[in-house]
Amino acid sequence: MQSGGSTCCILNLAPLYRAPILKLMDKELKCDFYIGDKVSTAIKLMNYNELTGFIKILKNVSLFAEFYWQQGSANIAFKPYKNFIITGDPNCISTWVFLIINRLLGKKVFLWSHGWYGREGNLKKLIKKIFFGLGEKVLLYGNHARSLMINAGFNPSKLIVIYNSLDYKTQIMIREKLTKCRCYSSHFGNDDPVVIFIGRLQKEKKLHLLIESQNLLAKEGINFNIVLIGDGNDEMNLKLLTSKYSLDNKIWFYGSCYDENEIAYLIYNAELTISPGNIGLTAIHSMTYGTPVLTHSNFKNHGPEFEAIIPGKTGDFFEEDSMYSLIDKIKVWLSLPERKRRYIRENCFAVIETKYNPFLQISIFRKLVNGSI
């Protein structure tokens, strides 16, 4: 416990995937960390004690609907910190109090947030405009949210895009050792291209569209295999659909996997990652290992990481809920010549290396704390 640094970080939670950037903040900014104990959704957490500057767990107390209070966070405003980096969640009532106190005290508060999604109604827009207006700057996961907020009247200089990241350093070390293998040929007993999905097998992921598309394309003589990494409440329905179309030998229900080396070679050796429903960090995970991503084009229903998808370069979009639009895109992407596939792989690497990594994020945090942006 270091305590007494000039920068304080207050988070509603610290997911495991955020450990690399938080450790960099710990090392380079000498942050003190106050972190919430839980949120409503199940998510794997990092070990908070790995942070030298970890001070205390704050209890997130549910109030009503989606609103909650973070016990003890408002009082931190009176501690002798110059800068605060906090989770910018308008549903956290104590954060409103914290922002107002710091506004009166003249301290800088940087709100780390999704910002605008694009699906907000008029009332939510008004609430968010007041909330984010109380912060010194808003740190956003993507340019889409920034554009929406500028259109809503925010000063562009107040909005800083910091993107998102996974365990980039470890993943690059793994990637450098990857080679093309016949792992899929040996499992499926054919050399057809492989489409992959990694994540929870839930209805909102709309994976039935992928299986339906595979069935129809097979009738046209266009064959490919599907690998589904993960489990979830829609798994049984998807297996029933697989059996209905006699695709059991073409779809691999791989199950949950948390071994990054294993995940890496599965993604690297696939031709395409497809998420028919919403997508978020899966896009970053896939592109880190050079595999393009296909998902739908209704951006307001995605996580901000959809922006990493550049049509024709790192992936593509199809019309939401349209199986025939999905089929058309699958045809295009599975027919790419090897030369084009290598070009796509390099594009994927470049997007991650220039935007979606913790080293870019920490450089922005340093500038914020130093007052240079």
Side-chain angles (χ1 to χ4, degrees):
M1 184 183 293
Q2 64 195 40
S3 189
S6 64
T7 302
C8 176
C9 187
I10 304 174
L11 305 173
N12 65 341
L13 206 68
L16 181 60
Y17 82 85
R18 278 235 177 127
I21 179 57
L22 295 182
K23 287 179 180 179
L24 280 176
M25 292 168 68
D26 185 41
K27 179 182 177 181
E28 299 197 22
L29 305 183
K30 306 300 181 186
C31 281
D32 285 355
F33 291 89
Y34 296 82
I35 308 174
D37 60 342
K38 66 180 186 307
V39 290
S40 57
T41 55
I43 189 167
K44 195 169 184 179
L45 305 181
M46 71 172 290
N47 179 357
Y48 297 172
N49 290 313
E50 291 180 0
L51 300 171
T52 305
F54 173 62
I55 303 296
K56 185 179 180 181
I57 288 179
L58 303 176
K59 187 174 183 181
N60 293 330
V61 180
S62 179
L63 298 176
F64 58 92
E66 297 178 349
F67 296 95
Y68 64 99
W69 182 277
Q70 195 169 50
Q71 284 187 353
S73 63
N75 294 334
I76 300 171
F78 297 104
K79 293 183 179 293
Y81 296 109
K82 293 180 181 179
N83 304 295
F84 293 95
I85 300 168
I86 71 172
T87 300
D89 183 0
N91 292 330
C92 185
I93 304 302
S94 55
T95 299
W96 285 82
V97 176
F98 182 89
L99 286 167
I100 292 169
I101 292 172
N102 278 284
R103 191 81 167 180
L104 295 172
L105 294 175
K107 295 183 179 181
K108 294 180 179 180
V109 181
F110 305 114
L111 292 163
W112 198 356
S113 174
H114 285 83
W116 252 240
Y117 284 94
R119 55 178 183 261
E120 293 84 358
N122 290 332
L123 177 59
K124 185 163 279 190
K125 284 180 181 178
L126 176 61
I127 291 171
K128 283 190 170 186
K129 193 164 186 180
I130 296 170
F131 177 79
F132 291 118
L134 292 170
E136 176 74 13
K137 292 187 185 293
V138 185
L139 311 179
L140 299 166
Y141 293 105
N143 288 291
H144 181 66
R146 186 173 188 269
S147 296
L148 292 172
M149 293 177 76
I150 290 172
N151 290 338
F154 281 88
N155 184 336
S157 65
K158 187 185 182 76
L159 310 173
I160 309 296
V161 178
I162 198 165
Y163 299 104
N164 209 346
S165 65
L166 295 171
D167 193 353
Y168 177 79
K169 186 176 180 180
T170 298
Q171 291 171 335
I172 296 305
M173 289 173 63
I174 293 172
R175 191 178 80 191
E176 289 175 349
K177 300 175 184 177
L178 292 174
T179 56
K180 297 294 287 184
C181 69
R182 294 185 58 80
C183 51
Y184 289 134
S185 298
S186 59
H187 175 83
F188 289 109
N190 62 58
D191 292 320
D192 294 335
V194 172
V195 163
I196 197 168
F197 169 84
I198 179 168
R200 296 285 291 162
L201 307 186
Q202 298 170 319
K203 288 187 182 297
E204 56 264 34
K205 296 299 183 179
K206 302 177 182 178
L207 290 164
H208 67 281
L209 290 174
L210 180 55
I211 296 174
E212 297 275 5
S213 298
Q214 184 188 35
N215 178 55
L216 290 177
L217 282 169
K219 293 178 180 178
E220 295 183 31
I222 300 172
N223 296 297
F224 63 93
N225 305 306
I226 296 174
V227 178
L228 302 176
I229 304 174
D231 55 23
N233 54 27
D234 202 34
E235 183 174 350
M236 184 54 66
N237 292 327
L238 295 173
K239 286 182 174 179
L240 289 172
L241 190 61
T242 297
S243 295
K244 175 184 175 181
Y245 294 130
S246 301
L247 293 170
D248 303 80
N249 63 336
K250 303 284 289 181
I251 300 178
W252 188 1
F253 286 86
Y254 197 86
S256 295
C257 180
Y258 299 100
D259 183 326
E260 191 63 28
N261 287 281
E262 200 170 331
I263 291 170
Y265 92 78
L266 289 168
I267 294 176
Y268 183 84
N269 282 284
E271 294 303 313
L272 184 64
T273 293
I274 298 183
S275 182
N278 62 311
I279 200 165
L281 282 166
T282 295
I284 306 308
H285 208 171
S286 180
M287 290 183 201
T288 298
Y289 296 120
T291 300
V293 179
L294 176 61
T295 190
H296 68 75
S297 59
N298 190 356
F299 300 155
K300 67 183 180 183
N301 289 334
H302 284 309
E305 296 79 16
F306 81 86
E307 289 181 24
I309 302 171
I310 305 169
K313 292 187 175 181
T314 62
D316 216 336
F317 299 103
F318 67 92
E319 183 182 340
E320 187 178 29
D321 296 328
S322 171
M323 181 170 57
Y324 295 101
S325 176
L326 174 58
I327 284 173
D328 287 342
K329 295 294 184 178
I330 290 174
K331 285 180 180 178
V332 171
W333 283 86
L334 294 189
S335 63
L336 294 180
E338 181 57 30
R339 176 180 56 80
K340 179 72 171 178
R341 180 67 184 85
R342 289 196 298 270
Y343 164 77
I344 295 295
R345 189 180 294 279
E346 292 301 321
N347 288 339
C348 289
F349 293 162
V351 167
I352 305 304
E353 287 161 11
T354 56
K355 294 181 179 179
Y356 296 91
N357 66 78
F359 302 109
L360 170 81
Q361 291 179 300
I362 196 63
S363 70
I364 294 173
F365 278 125
R366 280 197 300 266
K367 292 175 184 176
L368 283 168
V369 171
N370 294 334
S372 57
I373 57 173

